[in-house]
Amino acid sequence: MHQPIRWHEWSEEAFRGAKREGKPVLLDIGAVWCHWCHVMDRESYESAATAEIINRDFIAVKVDRDERPDVDSRYQLAVSAIAGTGGWPLTVFLTPDGKPFYGGTYFPPDDRYGRPSFPKILMAIAEAYRERRDEVLKSADEFMHMLHHAEGFVGRHADFSPRLVGMMVHSAVSNFDDKNGGFGGAPKFPHAPAIDLLLDWYSRTGEERVATVISTTLTKMSKGGVYDQLGGGFHRYSVDERWIVPHFEKMSYDNSELLKNYVHAYQGLGYEHYLRMADDIVRWMDEWLSDHEHGGFYASQDADINFDDDGDYFTWTAEEARAVLNPDEFEAVSLHFDIGAVGEMHHNPAKNVLWVSLSPDEIAARMSRNLTDVLDLLAVGRAKLAAARSQRPTPYIDNTIYTNWNALCVSAYLHYARVTRGQDARHFALRSLDRILAEAWQADRGLSHVIAYGDPSAEKRYIAGLLDDYAYSVIACLDAYEISGDFSYFRFARQIADEMIRRFADSTSGGFFDTENSLDNHSKLGALAASRKPYQDAPTPAGNPCAAIALLRLHTYTNDSLYHAKAEDTMEVFAGVAEQFGIYAGTYGLAASWLANPYTQVVVVGDDENAESLLKAAFAPYAVNLAVVHLSASKAVAQNLPPALAETIPSLPWLEECKSFAVLCTNFTCRPPIESPEELSSMLREAIVRK
């Protein structure tokens, strides 16, 4: 608002203005947390001279990619075709019909980095649109044709085969970095769904190579600078292959999915370190991303304090650390976190990213001190650094509450709560889900994408929910039903899923579009006319496989064949190419495992110590399609069972005896009640392991 440019929102009004004035559209897509967006704002969009060119020759439209991922995803694809790469800021030039004809990412204010200056680009585009408009319009039509066909699905459809799961697992393993963990080289991103896929495979097969991929990756990440060693929580990605130097923004969705990874890895591999990591992620999210007054999770924490900053809040010079620590503490901490005179940050080589270089045992040997002394020095040193850092100006928290990311966080907290039996996490997750259902969901209107804006002065406006909002919310509601036994969450899951099918399903070719299909494509603005069926994780879990998982889970509770058929059709739309995408289609792999393996449900009834022991046994293993429902002991138990369980579970005579027990069901067949946690563990192991 403070910039001298006459910005418009993405709207019909903006494009009508472009047509009326005969001007091209300058579309700027950025994000609150994006460092280079801030740089381009300061260098170009706050420049009076640049603003004069833009206001004279263009209609300027600014879009927040978190608010409008449907707009961003399509123009990212266009710019990748034009410039060979995408990212943020995304700078796109459009015809008054919204068709892209040129674009890039960051443009400098003067000629540098091998790129022409932004003013030169602006003047050249304006001249081309005035003098060679026919060529521009032809180019725009070609790019729109590409967009329409880039998301086409000809040749992808195939019959689903259970063998696809193993093929995707081994594709991921072949891309593993043995030395540093993770997949591929720099830059290195977490691929949380792929890790869960590998964990599911390991639970079923015991394949040690897969266990090595998981443990190496999660351990290396936890010791790298990509993890905030003082505050907790993960940064978005690492610019190097060793997980040391991150892009410093922290996203709610990265931390929710990595929280699941560490919880599931604790279940699957049993390492206490992974549970401590999960505790730390929750601690950070509780402190920085949680709306404790109303419920809900905030969107992100910025990387920077100001335009000249690059992670300075999170990094340390040796002198800054010495000023906080006594000599013994500094020696131990500097060895542990590799704090030296020369650090890792290019903009300020004295700045060090904190990462675990030496273990306490190695430090004890270097310092000729006993291990207990070193552990004390490290604990005190970390606390002092954290306290000193808390006095620095804190990077901005985007308090916007998005439905899709909140649903991911709710599910992650519930996964954590059911394994740790943590009541605070459970309570906050259910409270946050209640807010989604109260403020974002209306049966007649569907889901909205935005629940609340971070800026309290922002105008309240309705942004229609996308496929992700629906699919993630169905999954969150089912997670909530399973942990609470509250049947209202199951009813919400079914209502939202039915609306998802009605609004997004492709009834002709299968699968789901990312936006509602109620409008004719010709009525949609610009590139929104291009249909998309997302199935690659980018970086949040892809909408189509999440929709399939949601429907498969509903099928296990209802035995409604429509849900299973829609899920299977969705999987078959992409079955012909899924193997090729490996780690980028991890969620598709999880959905494939759901479809390929018999599902398993455990219903635990009771509230006594034995019920807790049965729940502990039920939550001990990890498998993607293992569901555990906890119901309080009462004669009303049957009223809280969905149709399929109500029909297949025996009449539960033990309710009369007030005993706690578990019932194990597989593929709509339930075994007699089980009272022994050891017997339940044995039967679960038998149900999960691949035959």
Side-chain angles (χ1 to χ4, degrees):
M1 293 171 65
H2 66 278
Q3 292 171 356
I5 293 168
R6 291 194 293 271
W7 289 111
H8 298 72
E9 291 190 88
W10 176 270
S11 62
E12 292 182 3
E13 178 188 357
F15 288 97
R16 279 198 299 267
K19 290 178 183 177
R20 184 172 59 251
E21 298 181 32
K23 295 179 179 179
V25 172
L26 165 62
L27 173 63
D28 171 62
I29 302 179
V32 172
W33 43 263
C34 167
H35 171 76
W36 285 101
C37 301
H38 301 166
V39 172
M40 193 162 173
D41 274 342
R42 180 191 62 179
E43 293 177 341
S44 295
Y45 294 134
E46 293 178 14
S47 160
T50 302
E52 182 180 359
I53 300 171
I54 293 172
N55 291 335
R56 182 188 68 220
D57 295 331
F58 298 90
I59 297 296
V61 174
K62 185 176 276 287
V63 166
D64 182 320
R65 65 87 44 208
D66 297 339
E67 183 186 50
R68 294 303 304 264
D70 53 339
V71 175
D72 175 64
S73 60
R74 288 160 171 79
Y75 288 108
Q76 287 286 350
L77 193 60
V79 169
S80 292
I82 293 167
T85 185
W88 301 283
L90 196 72
T91 310
V92 201
F93 296 94
L94 317 176
T95 69
D97 292 323
K99 299 176 181 178
F101 61 88
Y102 187 72
T105 52
Y106 164 79
F107 288 105
D110 45 45
D111 295 347
R112 64 172 107 137
Y113 310 126
R115 304 183 186 197
S117 72
F118 193 44
K120 280 185 181 178
I121 292 288
L122 291 168
M123 289 186 287
I125 293 294
E127 180 187 11
Y129 192 78
R130 285 193 306 268
E131 306 297 333
R132 301 187 302 280
R133 188 168 303 183
D134 288 346
E135 293 178 29
V136 168
L137 296 179
K138 181 181 178 184
S139 177
D141 286 338
E142 289 172 353
F143 280 117
M144 279 302 295
H145 180 79
M146 179 276 299
L147 281 178
H148 280 290
H149 288 82
E151 295 291 339
F153 307 98
V154 176
R156 296 179 176 180
H157 197 287
D159 290 339
F160 177 80
S161 168
R163 291 183 302 162
L164 191 59
V165 182
M167 293 160 70
M168 294 185 71
V169 165
H170 292 112
S171 172
V173 170
S174 67
N175 201 31
F176 172 59
D177 179 347
D178 280 278
K179 182 178 180 182
N180 302 299
F183 307 98
K188 189 168 277 184
F189 287 80
H191 290 278
I195 292 294
D196 268 359
L197 173 61
L198 295 174
L199 277 162
D200 179 73
W201 183 263
Y202 176 70
S203 294
R204 300 181 192 282
T205 67
E207 200 172 303
E208 285 302 323
R209 174 62 174 165
V210 172
T212 299
V213 173
I214 298 163
S215 60
T216 303
T217 299
L218 293 182
T219 301
K220 292 282 189 179
M221 286 176 59
S222 71
K223 293 182 176 181
V226 74
Y227 182 70
D228 183 350
Q229 299 293 336
L230 295 183
F234 279 90
H235 301 291
R236 196 161 67 93
Y237 69 95
S238 173
V239 301
D240 64 282
E241 71 279 1
R242 298 168 59 204
W243 302 109
I244 292 179
V245 181
H247 254 231
F248 288 94
E249 61 272 6
K250 293 180 180 178
M251 312 301 298
S252 63
Y253 59 76
D254 284 324
N255 283 280
S256 69
E257 302 316 281
L258 286 165
L259 172 56
K260 292 176 192 172
N261 277 170
Y262 282 98
V263 169
H264 298 161
Y266 170 69
Q267 292 174 274
L269 302 177
Y271 300 153
E272 290 290 332
H273 173 65
Y274 295 156
L275 191 57
R276 290 194 296 272
M277 284 296 298
D279 291 339
D280 248 14
I281 295 171
V282 169
R283 176 178 59 82
W284 176 76
M285 293 179 74
D286 280 348
E287 182 176 2
W288 294 103
L289 293 191
S290 296
D291 183 343
H292 292 287
E293 183 178 356
H294 304 102
F297 296 87
Y298 301 139
S300 61
Q301 183 177 33
D302 207 339
D304 312 320
I305 306 301
N306 54 49
F307 295 128
D308 298 312
D309 175 24
D310 188 2
D312 287 352
Y313 172 80
F314 300 100
T315 54
W316 295 81
T317 65
E319 288 70 23
E320 288 170 338
R322 276 198 179 92
V324 172
L325 307 173
N326 70 33
D328 284 347
E329 292 162 356
F330 176 77
E331 184 178 3
V333 168
S334 63
L335 287 170
H336 187 54
F337 288 136
D338 192 41
I339 301 175
V342 178
E344 294 84 7
M345 301 303 295
H346 292 301
H347 78 294
N348 182 356
K351 279 282 192 175
N352 291 265
V353 178
L354 302 189
W355 62 284
V356 178
S357 174
L358 294 178
S359 70
D361 286 324
E362 292 170 313
I363 296 168
R366 292 274 190 100
M367 294 179 67
S368 300
R369 303 282 289 265
N370 67 57
L371 180 60
T372 301
D373 286 348
V374 168
L375 289 172
D376 288 343
L377 289 171
L378 290 176
V380 172
R382 285 169 64 111
K384 285 185 176 181
L385 289 179
R389 195 179 82 171
S390 70
Q391 302 304 308
R392 298 174 176 177
T394 306
Y396 176 74
I397 300 291
D398 179 4
N399 292 346
T400 307
I401 295 180
Y402 294 105
T403 296
N404 55 347
W405 297 357
N406 265 254
L408 290 177
C409 291
V410 166
S411 287
Y413 262 48
L414 292 177
H415 285 226
Y416 171 78
R418 68 191 187 189
V419 170
T420 64
R421 311 304 294 151
Q423 293 305 303
D424 289 344
R426 177 184 186 273
H427 175 73
F428 188 73
L430 294 178
R431 193 162 158 245
S432 300
L433 179 57
D434 290 344
R435 185 176 183 185
I436 293 176
L437 298 173
E439 298 183 27
W441 168 252
Q442 292 182 19
D444 57 339
R445 191 178 69 176
L447 278 170
S448 59
H449 176 60
V450 182
I451 298 172
Y453 286 96
D455 181 355
S457 65
E459 180 184 346
K460 179 70 176 177
R461 55 188 183 273
Y462 173 72
I463 306 291
L466 304 172
L467 175 62
D468 288 359
D469 296 294
Y470 284 77
Y472 299 170
S473 294
V474 174
I475 291 170
C477 286
L478 291 173
D479 288 336
Y481 165 66
E482 290 168 1
I483 200 170
S484 70
D486 185 338
F487 197 62
S488 65
Y489 290 123
F490 177 81
R491 286 195 293 266
F492 274 117
R494 196 163 189 181
Q495 290 172 20
I496 296 170
D498 289 345
E499 278 299 297
M500 177 178 73
I501 293 170
R502 188 176 75 81
R503 293 170 182 266
F504 298 91
D506 181 348
S507 57
T508 303
S509 303
F512 291 85
F513 298 112
D514 64 332
T515 59
E516 293 190 25
N517 55 24
S518 55
L519 287 177
D520 182 275
N521 281 345
H522 295 296
S523 304
K524 296 180 179 179
L525 284 176
L528 290 180
S531 297
R532 292 191 66 244
K533 293 182 182 177
Y535 73 102
Q536 295 182 66
D537 303 320
T540 51
N544 268 274
C546 281
I549 290 171
L551 296 179
L552 288 168
R553 288 179 68 175
L554 274 172
H555 174 250
T556 67
Y557 286 124
T558 63
N559 203 13
D560 186 334
S561 59
L562 170 66
Y563 294 142
H564 192 277
K566 283 288 183 187
E568 190 168 19
D569 286 349
T570 299
M571 297 300 290
E572 289 183 344
V573 169
F574 314 104
V577 294
E579 181 196 357
Q580 301 171 18
F581 290 89
I583 57 172
Y584 299 100
T587 307
Y588 183 92
L590 291 170
S593 186
W594 245 105
L595 196 57
N597 294 293
Y599 71 87
T600 302
Q601 293 162 322
V602 179
V603 180
V604 176
V605 179
D607 306 288
D608 58 14
E609 287 186 14
N610 192 54
E612 278 298 311
S613 296
L614 288 167
L615 286 167
K616 185 177 180 181
F619 289 130
Y622 170 69
V624 66
N625 61 352
L626 168 60
V628 181
V629 181
H630 182 205
L631 301 175
S632 294
S634 81
K635 292 182 180 179
V637 164
Q639 297 174 16
N640 289 311
L641 290 172
L645 285 179
E647 289 177 7
T648 55
I649 284 184
S651 58
L652 304 180
W654 285 16
L655 287 175
E656 303 296 332
E657 303 173 30
C658 296
K659 286 184 176 180
S660 57
F661 61 93
V663 178
L664 177 65
C665 304
T666 303
N667 285 359
F668 303 109
T669 300
C670 297
R671 305 187 192 189
I674 305 163
E675 190 176 5
S676 162
E678 292 76 19
E679 183 183 356
L680 178 59
S681 294
S682 175
M683 293 174 70
L684 272 175
R685 186 77 250 152
E686 180 185 331
I688 292 170
V689 172
R690 288 173 65 91
K691 305 298 187 288

